[in-house]
Amino acid sequence: MTELLSDTVALSRLQFALTAIFHMLWPVLTTGMAIYLVIIEGLWLKTRNLDYYRHARFWSKIYILNFGIGVASGLPMAFQFGLNWAPFSEAVGDFFGTILGFEGTMAFMLEASFLGIMMFGWERVPPIIHWLSTILVAFGANLSTFWILTANSWLQTPAGGTFINGKFVVQDYFQAIANPFMVNSFLHMFFATLETSLFVIGGISAWYILNQRHTEFFSRSLKVVLALAIAVAPLQIFIGHLSAEQVYHYQPAKLAAMEAQWETIPAGEPAGWSVLALPNDRAERNEWEIKIPGALSYLLELKPALDTPIKGLKEWQPANRPHMIGLIYYSFRIMVGIGLFLAGLMLVSAVQWLRGKLSPEAIGKQKWLMLAWVFAAPLGYIAVETGWIVRCVGRQPWIVYGELRTVESVSNLPAGEVLFSLVGLTSMYAVFFVAALYFGSRIIRKGPNLELPAPQTKPSLKIEPAQHERDRRPVEAQQ
């Protein structure tokens, strides 16, 4: 413990992990829920069913709460690049800084600019203009995801330039943006935020149904969520599989850590998939392991034996490979397990819907199913966080994979100063979290306003030209 408190590199990594993990909780919901709000408001415009309008008003309250905390918790992350990671910022700022600038000026500003109309413009602008504002908020939120994932993907598979004297010189911005990891990384995160949001909305809806509050109202939102999840859950699993294949080709050391594979499996031999294991970093082996023979070969190449070898962790010197293998190994399995559980819950719910068990009259009797939805509400967050642990911890010891080490990228600060800021951020985030739980539970306990009338936009004040001229004639005559 004493060594940790005096290690600037470890404390800086811990601080960035804290800010990243906490901040991630909030935009995950806003980016996905914004799409849900676009859909639900579009259904209101199409059907003029006031339930959809009231859904939009109710869920937007939870949206704005997450947006506010997301902004406040994200600011320290931006400052850390200059304070705790100054050598990194200096080395890659020409590209990395530009991309983060795009995220702030292009995406965040778009979302923030139209957020006011989305929240307070119901009685002030025509419905179609309000819907357009909601669309632009959703577009801005997901454009932000695109730029953030572009920047992080570049750290995983740097492209579009070369390092000269320790500084990355951009030669082709488009090639750097379209680095090998970019497309799948963005799609994986896009569907992760959407799936998380859907199961949060579905879980809250199920809670109301279990408590026999507004059953008909929330059975409608649950069905909308389920209809979207039927497409999203399988797609997320498929994109996740493609992302794992990319790790296999571009980051073999990370794949070895994800599978706790210490020894190399030669080409032409079947590769077993490790279900559970107890990795021992110091001994460079697994204390025990449960494997499915040949399964990893089919998962990676759909073949009984791989064409290329799977390198074991021992192929790299300890200084050049990931550590904390147990954390990476189990984070990956938690993420995969949650994805499969959510897909299974979607499938069971779809079957019950086809059987007519989700009608307002019958849904209240589906107690186990509703409990499963309530249980599933926080699981998407856990899957996202564990996925990012695999992505970033598995990249170590590199901050820019294969090019720039993490230990070379930390500012030369006294450990005490980093510890002070770490304690301060932890305290601030604890206050944010308690406030979010308090206000979020308050919104949910209060529930939707089912008496809310349709918005009546105020007519614009116009002076007809003819009347204007008539009003001026007497004045002109007096003159």
Side-chain angles (χ1 to χ4, degrees):
M1 188 60 158
T2 305
E3 293 180 0
L4 172 63
L5 297 180
S6 60
D7 189 336
T8 298
V9 176
L11 288 172
S12 296
R13 288 184 63 189
L14 185 60
Q15 180 172 301
F16 197 87
L18 168 72
T19 55
I21 287 172
F22 185 82
H23 172 66
M24 188 66 64
L25 294 171
W26 316 105
V28 161
L29 189 64
T30 54
T31 51
M33 185 175 281
I35 295 174
Y36 176 81
L37 291 174
V38 168
I39 293 170
I40 211 75
E41 190 174 347
L43 289 171
W44 171 60
L45 291 176
K46 180 177 176 60
T47 65
R48 292 298 172 176
N49 186 326
L50 277 177
D51 270 0
Y52 290 124
Y53 166 69
R54 291 161 183 159
H55 270 295
R57 296 296 297 267
F58 173 70
W59 295 111
S60 63
K61 294 178 183 178
I62 297 177
Y63 178 94
I64 196 65
L65 174 65
N66 277 264
F67 178 85
I69 296 181
V71 171
S73 63
L75 290 174
M77 291 189 66
F79 286 113
Q80 279 183 94
F81 288 117
L83 296 174
N84 295 66
W85 303 93
F88 163 77
S89 299
E90 185 177 359
V92 303
D94 286 354
F95 175 74
F96 196 83
T98 301
I99 297 302
L100 294 186
F102 286 165
E103 189 274 332
T105 58
M106 187 185 304
F108 176 74
M109 287 302 175
L110 177 64
E111 180 184 9
S113 297
F114 286 91
L115 184 64
I117 299 175
M118 190 186 90
M119 294 306 303
F120 307 111
W122 289 102
E123 303 285 345
R124 293 176 173 84
V125 298
I128 192 68
I129 298 299
H130 187 279
W131 189 46
L132 177 61
S133 299
T134 306
I135 291 172
L136 290 173
V137 167
F139 179 73
N142 285 277
L143 184 60
S144 180
T145 301
F146 170 77
W147 288 121
I148 294 297
L149 266 296
T150 295
N152 187 270
S153 297
W154 181 84
L155 298 179
Q156 308 284 338
T157 49
T162 55
F163 277 83
I164 300 176
N165 298 324
K167 184 178 177 64
F168 182 72
V169 178
V170 184
Q171 296 168 340
D172 188 334
Y173 265 100
F174 290 105
Q175 185 182 359
I177 290 171
N179 62 81
F181 264 31
M182 186 271 288
V183 174
N184 283 341
S185 295
F186 167 67
L187 290 177
H188 196 34
M189 191 61 188
F190 171 80
F191 285 113
T193 61
L194 183 54
E195 186 173 22
T196 299
S197 301
L198 292 177
F199 280 91
V200 167
I201 295 168
I204 294 173
S205 300
W207 180 85
Y208 279 104
I209 294 168
L210 279 172
N211 287 275
Q212 299 180 351
R213 291 182 59 187
H214 317 308
T215 299
E216 183 175 356
F217 184 81
F218 283 102
S219 67
R220 189 184 301 274
S221 60
L222 185 61
K223 288 177 183 176
V224 173
V225 162
L226 180 55
L228 294 171
I230 288 171
V232 171
L235 276 172
Q236 174 66 329
I237 293 174
F238 177 68
I239 297 298
H241 171 71
L242 295 181
S243 297
E245 285 185 343
Q246 282 194 319
V247 171
Y248 168 51
H249 293 295
Y250 289 95
Q251 296 181 333
K254 181 189 288 187
L255 178 69
M258 289 162 55
E259 296 301 324
Q261 184 68 43
W262 298 97
E263 305 293 340
T264 297
I265 301 174
E269 291 189 11
W273 180 61
S274 176
V275 181
L276 293 173
L278 182 59
N280 186 330
D281 286 37
R282 291 184 178 180
E284 297 187 333
R285 62 186 174 87
N286 297 327
E287 297 295 339
W288 55 265
E289 187 174 22
I290 301 173
K291 268 192 174 184
I292 301 176
L296 187 59
S297 303
Y298 283 100
L299 288 173
L300 292 176
E301 292 188 1
L302 298 176
K303 296 178 180 178
L306 297 174
D307 294 333
T308 55
I310 294 181
K311 292 184 178 181
L313 286 163
K314 292 182 180 180
E315 291 283 340
W316 293 269
Q317 294 294 324
N320 294 329
R321 70 190 186 207
H323 294 281
M324 296 187 285
I325 303 302
L327 175 64
I328 300 168
Y329 177 88
Y330 277 104
S331 293
F332 178 68
R333 276 147 185 78
I334 289 170
M335 177 187 66
V336 172
I338 289 174
L340 294 174
F341 174 81
L342 295 181
L345 178 57
M346 173 276 298
L347 183 60
V348 172
S349 302
V351 170
Q352 291 297 86
W353 192 3
L354 292 173
R355 295 178 61 201
K357 301 295 185 179
L358 299 188
S359 65
E361 298 78 22
I363 196 170
K365 299 177 182 178
Q366 305 297 311
K367 294 189 181 299
W368 285 107
L369 186 60
M370 295 302 104
L371 283 171
W373 275 89
V374 173
F375 174 76
L379 295 184
Y381 291 108
I382 299 173
V384 169
E385 299 287 14
T386 51
W388 275 95
I389 288 172
V390 173
R391 185 178 180 88
C392 295
V393 179
R395 187 181 69 232
Q396 299 303 317
W398 307 99
I399 194 167
V400 181
Y401 196 79
E403 298 287 352
L404 183 64
R405 290 178 177 272
T406 303
V407 294
E408 300 168 349
S409 307
V410 179
S411 300
N412 185 20
L413 295 171
E417 293 184 7
V418 182
L419 179 62
F420 178 79
S421 61
L422 174 60
V423 172
L425 285 171
T426 302
S427 303
M428 182 179 71
Y429 284 169
V431 173
F432 285 170
F433 189 69
V434 171
L437 290 179
Y438 172 75
F439 288 109
S441 62
R442 186 176 174 181
I443 291 169
I444 293 171
R445 286 197 307 269
K446 184 178 180 181
N449 181 2
L450 299 186
E451 304 298 324
L452 195 65
Q456 301 292 325
T457 55
K458 296 178 181 179
S460 58
L461 298 176
K462 292 182 180 180
I463 300 177
E464 296 295 333
Q467 180 66 45
H468 178 63
E469 291 300 324
R470 285 197 300 270
D471 290 343
R472 288 188 57 188
R473 281 174 193 154
V475 177
E476 291 171 353
Q478 290 174 7
Q479 293 175 346

